[in-house]
Amino acid sequence: MSPKIGLDMAKILQTATDIADKDGLEGVTLAALAKRLGVRPPSLYNHIDGLQGLRKQLALYGLEQLHRALAEAAIGRSGDDAVHALGKAYVTFVRTHPGLYEATMQAPDPLDPDIQRAGRSIVDLTMRVLRAYHLDDETALHAVRGFRSMFHGFASLEQKGEFRIRLDHDATLRFLIDTFLAGLRKKP
C-alpha cells in the first residue's frame, strides 16, 4: 500500500468511529483501521500512540461530539423544554453512534485530565440547564447524575433490544423525563 495523502487525526477518528458504530468498539483495531484507511499499520503511529492512544482519542472525540449534540439541542431553550431536548439529543447520539458512545464509557484512563475535562463540559452544560429549577449546587449535581443515569440506562436498554413491549420508545423517554422533572419540582 502506498502512503495515504491527507491522513490526519480527523480522518483517523472518523474512520475509527465508523468501525466502532458498525462493528462495536472491539472491532476498532490498528489493523482494521489501517486497512480501512488504505495504509500500513505502522503509518498510524505518526498520528496516534498505539491502540491505547487511539482509544483515548476516540473517547475524547466521543465526549466532544456528545457535548456538541447536547449544546446544539439546548440552544434557545430553557426549563422543561431544554431538559427534554437534552434527553432526546443524548438518546439520539447513542442511537446514531453506538460504538463511539461505547468508547466514551470505556476510556483507557477515566482519570486522565483530558477525559475529565471533556466529561466536565457535559456536566457544566447540564448544570446551566438546571439553573431554571433553582437547585443548590449539590442538589443540581445529584440531578445531573440522575439525568445521566436515566439517559444512559434508557439508551443502553434500547440499544440491546430490551424494550420488547410495543410502546413508542420516544413516548417512554418523554414520560421518564416528565416524571423526573416532577420530582425535581417537589424537591424542598
Side-chain angles (χ1 to χ4, degrees):
M1 287 182 235
S2 60
K4 184 95 172 182
I5 296 175
L7 184 63
D8 59 14
M9 185 58 81
K11 178 102 173 138
I12 289 170
L13 290 174
Q14 185 55 58
T15 303
T17 296
D18 293 344
I19 294 169
D21 288 344
K22 182 177 178 272
D23 302 328
L25 189 57
E26 296 78 28
V28 180
T29 64
L30 295 181
L33 183 58
K35 182 177 180 181
R36 183 80 65 91
L37 289 167
V39 300
R40 295 168 37 101
S43 299
L44 294 173
Y45 286 90
N46 293 324
H47 304 278
I48 56 171
D49 188 19
L51 186 57
Q52 287 291 84
L54 176 61
R55 294 276 168 104
K56 175 186 173 181
Q57 292 302 316
L58 197 56
L60 282 170
Y61 179 68
L63 288 168
E64 291 164 0
Q65 294 303 307
L66 178 57
H67 178 266
R68 179 177 294 147
L70 296 174
E72 287 175 4
I75 289 175
R77 293 182 165 92
S78 63
D80 292 2
D81 187 37
V83 173
H84 275 278
L86 285 181
K88 181 69 174 169
Y90 194 105
V91 171
T92 298
F93 181 85
V94 178
R95 288 172 179 165
T96 306
H97 295 292
L100 183 59
Y101 179 72
E102 184 181 358
T104 70
M105 296 289 120
Q106 295 185 22
D109 179 4
L111 299 178
D112 178 281
D114 295 330
I115 298 292
Q116 290 284 311
R117 191 171 20 262
R120 185 69 196 177
S121 70
I122 295 170
V123 171
D124 291 344
L125 171 64
T126 309
M127 292 283 285
R128 284 192 303 275
V129 167
L130 290 174
R131 284 186 189 141
Y133 300 94
H134 308 290
L135 305 172
D136 62 70
D137 287 345
E138 184 176 329
T139 303
L141 284 171
H142 287 302
V144 169
R145 283 183 177 173
F147 285 129
R148 180 179 182 214
S149 298
M150 182 172 51
F151 301 149
H152 171 76
F154 181 91
S156 296
L157 289 168
E158 182 182 63
Q159 190 177 33
K160 292 183 180 3
E162 294 296 326
F163 294 144
R164 295 186 184 111
I165 298 172
R166 290 186 178 226
L167 286 174
D168 181 284
H169 293 192
D170 290 334
T172 301
L173 180 62
R174 282 189 301 277
F175 174 81
L176 285 171
I177 296 169
D178 285 339
T179 302
F180 197 87
L181 289 172
L184 272 185
R185 283 188 211 90
K186 290 183 180 181
K187 178 75 180 135

